[in-house]
Amino acid sequence: MNGATIIDGKAFAADLRARVAERAAAFIATSGTTPGLAVVLVGEDPASQVYVRNKAKQTVECGMRSFEHRLSVETSQGDLLDLVHRLNADPAVNGILVQLPLPPQIDEAAVLAAIDPAKDVDGFHVVNTGKLAVGAADAMVPCTPLGCLMMLKHYGGELSGKRALVLGRSNIVGKPMAALLLKESCTVTIAHSRTRDLADECRRAEILVAAVGRPHMVKGDWVAPGATVIDVGINRIPAPEKGEGKTRLVGDVDFDACVGHAGAITPVPGGVGPMTIACLLRNTLVAACDQAGVARPEI
Ligand code: NAP
């Protein structure tokens, strides 16, 4: 089999951002309020700095307000919690995102728990994970799995009844992804490091979402003919062909080996990655609508 659709995450995310900008403009016109997103970065991790810069830029491009809080790597848990409490109380802030990972002196769970669930645009607060688990319509859904679901709905055909395999069971990707697919009436299997016969599990899947953090783990003969493959993994590997000491990004899926088997597949980079920030902007607008008592827009 050949001729898989290569899912263009960049274009898909640009479309989503355009829809968010349009709905944000309508919300601003009717409510007189501009949705605001506060992003908190503790420390100077270079990758996190790039993410935070991109988030701020794209928030403003969508017509919303961006508030950046950059704190020293030595910030205490108490000081970070004080900031979160101030943002919770600030009416100009509709969404709060604390960039992970946090330095070791800070208890990540305590910080996530301190965020007002109504402003939890990352969807990591247990109130929102609980709502997602029971299928509540007003859950704030984590951005990366939400982006994957949007692409699956567009490229994967009818989801109801399909066999889906989610590879990875993290709280930020694997578990919410599985909950979303279950809500779409897929038959969902969650695989992880203790799963036996992983290749066989993968081969049964009509939808395969890989979120493991292991470069090129999913091989070509693990993919059922025509399956839709979503690769969440972002792994940096040496790329001597680009010069000494150079690196490149690859996914958890061996793209070149799998593209001939899949019906549709996301590349890395340019697949899931761009959707994550677009979904964050969507969640910020949704949070602003919820807080204003306005119906959530269809986006
Ligand atoms: P994580 O918290 O490290 O979880 C990895 C999961 O993979 C765990 O459940 C682990 O199983 C499982 N796993 C690890 N090795 C395995 C193996 N050999 N066989 C089967 N399962 C295995 O990672 P994460 O935060 O979910 O992220 C996963 C990947 O997605 C990373 O590459 C990350 O960079 C990327 N990511 C991308 C985006 C984006 O915007 N595109 C967003 C978030 C994450 P156990 O639970 O048994 O240990």
Side-chain angles (χ1 to χ4, degrees):
M1 182 153 176
N2 50 36
T5 301
I6 299 183
I7 299 174
D8 183 347
K10 264 192 185 167
F12 203 78
D15 270 4
L16 177 58
R17 288 198 304 274
R19 291 200 303 281
V20 171
E22 198 184 300
R23 310 291 196 281
F27 173 78
I28 294 165
T30 53
S31 70
T33 310
T34 303
L37 171 66
V39 178
V40 181
L41 175 62
V42 185
E44 286 169 11
D45 176 64
S48 295
Q49 285 184 328
V50 173
Y51 287 138
V52 167
R53 211 169 29 244
N54 285 339
K55 283 168 185 169
K57 180 169 168 276
Q58 294 185 25
T59 303
V60 172
E61 282 169 3
C62 273
M64 303 193 281
R65 296 176 75 190
S66 164
F67 307 96
E68 272 185 68
H69 296 268
R70 290 173 183 267
L71 307 181
S72 129
V73 71
E74 277 142 30
T75 300
S76 70
Q77 172 153 333
D79 285 349
L80 179 55
L81 288 174
D82 283 347
L83 173 60
V84 169
H85 293 139
R86 282 202 302 282
L87 297 173
N88 282 343
D90 185 344
V93 172
N94 302 105
I96 303 169
L97 181 148
V98 178
Q99 185 69 42
L100 303 179
L102 290 167
Q105 74 275 18
I106 296 177
D107 175 358
E108 208 165 276
V111 173
L112 296 181
I115 296 172
D116 177 348
K119 296 189 177 186
D120 170 36
V121 283
D122 249 345
F124 295 160
H125 193 289
V126 286
V127 165
N128 285 311
T129 55
K131 283 184 177 182
L132 181 60
V134 298
D138 66 342
M140 201 57 81
V141 177
C143 302
T144 300
L146 178 60
C148 294
L149 181 71
M150 287 179 181
M151 294 196 287
L152 280 168
K153 280 185 164 172
H154 190 84
Y155 291 97
E158 174 63 44
L159 296 182
S160 177
K162 286 231 168 100
R163 281 187 304 280
L165 181 102
V166 179
L167 189 39
R169 57 173 165 179
S170 71
N171 290 337
I172 62 168
V173 190
K175 282 182 196 150
M177 187 74 246
L180 287 170
L181 289 167
L182 189 59
K183 198 164 172 228
E184 295 299 324
S185 299
C186 291
T187 301
V188 183
T189 302
I190 306 176
H192 44 78
S193 65
R194 305 293 180 90
T195 299
R196 274 184 315 212
D197 305 325
L198 187 56
D200 282 345
E201 294 290 349
C202 290
R203 278 184 205 112
R204 275 194 283 278
E206 296 167 279
I207 292 169
L208 174 54
V209 181
V212 213
R214 306 242 177 252
H216 289 168
M217 192 175 112
V218 176
K219 310 298 177 208
D221 64 353
W222 293 22
V223 173
T228 305
V229 179
I230 304 288
D231 189 355
V232 182
I234 301 178
N235 309 289
R236 195 164 278 287
I237 62 165
E241 72 280 5
K242 287 167 73 179
E244 205 189 311
K246 298 284 182 196
T247 59
R248 66 188 176 105
L249 290 181
V250 298
D252 293 339
V253 173
D254 185 343
F255 181 89
D256 292 341
C258 294
V259 70
H261 299 260
I265 185 167
T266 59
V268 175
V272 173
M275 284 299 285
T276 297
I277 298 184
C279 287
L280 173 68
L281 305 177
R282 179 256 177 213
N283 280 357
T284 302
L285 175 59
V286 161
C289 291
D290 288 355
Q291 288 157 41
V294 173
R296 291 181 174 191
E298 277 296 317
I299 314 176

